[in-house]
Amino acid sequence: YSPDIEVYSIDEGFIDMNGIRTMHRKTFREIADHIRFTVFHEVGITVSVGISTTRILAKVASEMNKPNGSTMIPGRRIMRFLREIPIGDVPGIGRNRQHVMNKLRITTAYDFVNTPIERIDACLGKVGVDLWHELSGKPVYPLELTPSMPKSIARTASLGLVTCDAQLIRAHLSYHTTRMITALVRQHLTTSSITVFLRLKSFDSVGEKVRLTASNDFGKLNQVVNQLFARLFVPGSAYRACGVVAADIQPDVCQGDLFAPSHSKQETS
């Protein structure tokens, strides 16, 4: 739909809509509805779409017709729309900031943008000033077209039952490890730190961490995970969850095949 897309989270993104009406020969609403239709028929899930003049307004709009609707906020309707938005529903206004706003009798997004910006600055600083502009329809936050490098990649989950079966737990860890390495390879990243943890029946957790030469090699990282599991697992103990975490993430300067054989010597400490 547009060459300029920001992947904001696992289930959310932003699209630069400037100029694409001419390209697709559709109105913004028609484009939004077509996005929803396409996602549903190709992926099988519903999505909501919000379109407006800024990121914050578009995000707020996308919340209005969940789980399967489109909401447009053109510039001329911004103030009318903001009257219906509780200040606590504005992205960036958490519980603490909401309490501050309520003390100032700011209960809606409309109240917020009609408060002098100097007062917002005094209470919330730059974050508040940026929100004030965005809610007023003046873009402050540009799209981040290049994803930022994650600090860590974790793959964890419940085992689905409480078990003492080492083979079953090892199988779950292998699955998590495969998913973690796939994420590294797809993003052209490597890790220099692996942590494995096991959660006991009592909900206490045990874990071990090891540093290694930067890698996203499946054989190498899988072997490290198996070694850590062997150190952690206590026969007879019951476990309910497990996981693996890659940290010290770096760009991969020598991208290879996910399942290519490794000829390098493993280094751990």
Side-chain angles (χ1 to χ4, degrees):
Y1 293 94
S2 170
D4 295 329
I5 299 173
E6 175 186 339
V7 179
Y8 185 69
S9 68
I10 192 172
D11 63 351
E12 192 171 7
F14 291 97
I15 300 174
D16 186 349
M17 305 290 280
N18 288 310
I20 70 171
R21 283 189 301 177
T22 301
M23 182 170 63
H24 293 289
R25 297 185 179 180
K26 297 178 185 293
T27 65
F28 283 139
R29 180 170 293 279
E30 288 172 337
I31 293 171
D33 290 341
H34 197 267
I35 290 172
R36 294 190 298 106
F37 176 86
T38 302
V39 171
F40 182 77
H41 282 272
E42 293 189 5
V43 185
I45 61 174
T46 59
V47 296
S48 61
V49 179
I51 297 181
S52 192
T53 57
T54 71
R55 285 173 60 112
I56 294 296
L57 286 172
K59 183 172 174 60
V60 171
S62 72
E63 300 287 334
M64 299 303 295
N65 278 309
K66 282 191 170 183
N68 186 25
S70 303
T71 302
M72 312 293 114
I73 311 178
R76 65 182 182 278
R77 287 179 47 207
I78 289 175
M79 291 302 151
R80 188 194 321 170
F81 179 82
L82 294 182
R83 292 179 185 274
E84 309 296 325
I85 306 301
I87 190 63
D89 289 349
V90 174
I93 300 292
R95 183 177 301 176
N96 291 337
R97 288 173 179 157
Q98 182 180 355
H99 288 324
V100 173
M101 294 295 96
N102 289 342
K103 288 179 180 179
L104 298 175
R105 298 184 179 179
I106 298 173
T107 60
T108 67
Y110 179 83
D111 296 336
F112 187 87
V113 299
N114 280 281
T115 299
I117 193 171
E118 295 79 12
R119 195 175 190 190
I120 297 297
D121 188 16
C123 294
L124 301 181
K126 184 178 184 303
V127 171
V129 171
D130 288 347
L131 281 176
W132 190 91
H133 285 297
E134 284 267 327
L135 288 171
S136 300
K138 303 168 187 175
V140 173
Y141 304 125
L143 293 191
E144 297 181 7
L145 304 179
T146 302
S148 59
M149 188 178 305
K151 294 182 179 179
S152 64
I153 296 176
R155 295 295 182 265
T156 67
S158 166
L159 296 170
L161 74 168
V162 176
T163 181
C164 303
D165 188 339
Q167 186 174 352
L168 175 62
I169 300 171
R170 193 187 300 273
H172 278 265
L173 268 179
S174 178
Y175 172 66
H176 297 325
T177 302
T178 300
R179 293 170 57 228
M180 178 196 73
I181 297 171
T182 299
L184 287 169
V185 172
R186 284 179 174 169
Q187 298 178 64
H188 307 292
L189 301 173
T190 62
T191 177
S192 298
S193 172
I194 293 292
T195 300
V196 171
F197 83 88
L198 303 177
R199 181 161 295 134
L200 294 153
K201 179 181 179 180
S202 64
F203 288 96
D204 292 331
S205 293
V206 293
E208 280 212 26
K209 175 181 177 180
V210 68
R211 293 192 59 81
L212 61 154
T213 303
S215 177
N216 60 18
D217 178 80
F218 180 83
K220 180 176 183 177
L221 298 183
N222 193 51
Q223 184 178 356
V224 170
V225 170
N226 286 334
Q227 290 173 347
L228 293 178
F229 172 72
R231 295 181 201 171
L232 291 169
F233 180 78
V234 177
S237 294
Y239 300 91
R240 62 172 63 247
C242 64
V244 58
V245 181
D248 296 327
I249 305 295
Q250 307 160 45
D252 183 10
V253 295
C254 185
Q255 178 69 16
D257 187 282
L258 174 61
F259 296 103
S262 173
H263 301 292
S264 59
K265 184 179 179 180
Q266 179 176 310
E267 298 177 25
T268 60
S269 59

